[in-house]
Amino acid sequence: MPSRSLWSCGGARLVAWTWVWSVALLGARSIPANEVNLLDSRAVMVDLGWVAYPKNGYWEEIGEVDENYAPIHTYQVCRVMEQNQNNWLHTNWILTEGAQRVFIELKFTLRDCNSLPGGVGTCKETFNMYYYETDGGEDEMEEGEMRDGPGMTEEEDRAMKESRYIKIDTIAADESFTELDLGDRVMKLNTEVRDLGPLTRKGFYLAFQDLGACIALVSVRVFYKRCPFFVKSLAEFPDTIPGSEASQLVEVVGHCVNNSLPLYEPPRMHCSTEGEWLVPIGKCVCQPGFEEISGFCQVCSVGFYRSLLESLTCSKCPPHSVARQTGATSCTCEDGYYKIDSDPSNMACTRPPSAPRNAISNVNETSVFLEWSVPTETGGRKDVRYNILCRQVLPEGRGLEECGPNVRFLPRRVGLSNTSVMVADLQSHTNYSFLLEAVNGVSELAREHAKQYVSLNVTTNQAVSVVRKGHTEKSSIALSWAEPDRPNGIILEYEIKYFEKEQDSSYTIIKSKETEMVVEGLKPSSVYIFQVRARTSAGYGAFSRRFEFQTSPYLTATSERAQASIVAVAVTLALVLLAVVAGFLLSGRRCGYSKAKQDPEEEKMHFHNGHIKFPGVRTYIDPLTYEDPNQAVHEFAQEIDVSFISIERIIGAGEFGEVCSGPLRLPGKREIQVAIKTLKAGYTEQQRRDFLWEASIMGQFNHPNIIRLEGVVTKSKPVMIITEYMENGSLDTFLKKNDGQFTVIQLVGMLRGIASGMRYLSDMGYVHRDLAARNILVNSNLVCKVSDFGLSRVLEDDPEAVYTTRGGKIPIRWTAPEAIAYRKFTSASDVWSYGIVMWEVMSYGERPYWEMSNQDVIKAIEESYRLPGPMDCPEALYHLMMDCWQRERSNRPKFDEIVCLLDKLIRNPSSLKKLVNSSHRVSNLLVEHANVQGDCNTLSQTVGEWLDSIKMGRYTELFMEGGYSSLETVAQMTSE
Ligand code: AMP
């Protein structure tokens, strides 16, 4: 209840009204958790005992009780009627408790001066708040000290005390009350908060100075803020008093509790001056063997483990391992199973692999190629490697001896990741025993377990030691040699390899079942190198060392005798030959290559740069026949580790991504430049398959005029196809760039190369479908190689290919009519395209049919029009082109015939002198096709060539000397 009786002064009476109401409305105070009270006038049960001045002065404590009979202390002053008021009220000593910044919350009412009756001129509407810091408290400044300074007048004493106080602020009321408010009992309580700091002493006094206002100080609360004890992510942070500066943060390192450990770094938080925890850094996690459940670390159960701080929960032990106790930080392997340090903790325990399987050997001279299959049991690991133990079997049962350091293992002897190895430089005709062992990462730990080997016994071959020269002629040398001392089985045949000295890039191999033979067809007065080797069922022995023999420079007595008998020979031959010649000419058989059989026992093959020229045996395998396209790639293409490749330049753009170049350094091989086709990122599985398709095809070819595949990179990204590098890029661009720069022989040489590559492809049963100069690559030696393989893919890739009415893309200008009309793609349609390539080459990259539309081209061909001979084109070449463009595909020449014809033209440059009749050559106009015969036989074949082709080349000399210098004269030979 408000009490009117407390104050006689009208103003004070009004104040008293106010505080009673205000206290009633203050209600119960709840203090935030981060505030600590140092003083709360409302919480003091006894008298506050604050000291007022002047003595018995005007600040007066009013004691009341609230409805709960709790005492209420309020100080009032209201000397608005008198001049020069200076009334002080100071609190007891307030301990800071270590706080450097404190807050003072005042609740008060203040009378509006204007509303005072009579309008008092001295009335104030503010009061001042001061503080005085001291470590001493009561000792230093006793209660009432301000009044009782010894030996001083009250005025002096007071001035001295007041001077110690520092002003905090002048406090004004937001709302002051009037007579009216009192009447209406409107509560106008003000709350003001001031902060104070930095404080450096143990405590301080607060003082309130009234200069003539009408105030009731209802409540004074002094508190500081702190960051209260806090637990976050298993880390405890203690009660923390903030710094003294307003925006200061105090860093606090937390303490990991409850079987937890700091993860990476100790946990930290920052305490703000507002008493809030901010910016958490780091955290605690349960230590290994424990997992966090509902904010507590609980031990892992039996059969479970937790090894890493990063993992959240306990995990079940991986296969073949156990945890027999709770709180396991790792699992132990079952007997016979192992783990190495680098194995991840969640990996199963593993064991050594079983032995390799299906080991086979292939002896080649003094090298052995060993191959095997992966073990049935890999032990549960992917790191299976193979080691080879090589032992020589000593004669006469003297046991085994480990192979010496001279024996080479390619790529290496131990730690092989592939299932094959080449063992080279073994001793000839020696027995060896090889042990192949499979190991994996845990083999070392499982030493007590018996090693699992597979063993192979091998005998190397014996070499022919000496080759002797027998009778020598101008064009032949007789050779003989002795059988190897200890042949490794029955000798099936000998191989004689020979070449003209210093021309070893091209050599010839002849086979013989005897230990002697006459090598024919040699040049007179020339030095040849010969080597012989034997073959048994185990394979080839080593070649003998090189033997150098020279052919005779002049006719020997024998050949003179032979000359005398020429007529006899010729007569005997004549009848046969006439029949052969007639048959040969009549059969219309073009001048094709046929395998030169010297006799049934001797087979002759020509080699160039290490490649067999005419293999004709292997056939192309369509990668489509493989269920898994990846298998096809790895069947035909070697996987190359990307670390062996450096990409240096971009050289072109392919359908699937950039084409680059750079060096390829395969271990044990010399560095070569390669082209690197890449598959751009974000490809689909289908695109990857299409991209690698080309490699599956290219990898099957091995010919100097077909782009050579070095290998593929499929195990890393980007996926790549690695081919030999062709310095001059694609043929069409190359020719355009070098218009008119080459001799006819050089151009024919290029065409010969392309024809040779195409002959190889057709021999293998591969139809290219997109033969065009743009798909031929040229190297620095002007060697042309056919590229761009892959059935439908090449056509998708080719900007020249257009969709036809029957579906499918076709490069119209290059394609034979039957292929356009009903997709009859054959080697004969490739021959048509070859004719177009010839035209492109001879016209230095001119566009076939110029700017005619595809439709017009189809129509013109249908009406028997063909491209005219390019400018300065030899007639013989134009005839060949026209032949390639025969409507009837069976009338077109075969690639082997084309090669044969071009070879002849190259050997006989004069045959290229006659150029296409300029009257035939109407620029940019097509000409009518007149079934020009490009038949090889109609071209000036010489007697020598003819004799060569019937394996009688060695008689050329005799025929020349006998005056039979042309086929006509031979044909006219009579029996006389
Ligand atoms: P492709 O995707 O095969 O048509 O290749 C695109 C371009 O890259 C070709 O036109 C050539 O200019 C270049 N290129 C491709 N392969 C080779 C290579 N083996 N040597 C040099 N350049 C090549």
Side-chain angles (χ1 to χ4, degrees), residues 651-655 659 675 677 707 723-726 730 777 788 797:
I651 53 170
E655 189 201 355
V659 183
K677 282 191 182 186
I707 195 84
T723 63
E724 65 181 307
Y725 178 56
M726 301 293 283
S730 57
L777 292 167
D788 246 292
D797 190 10

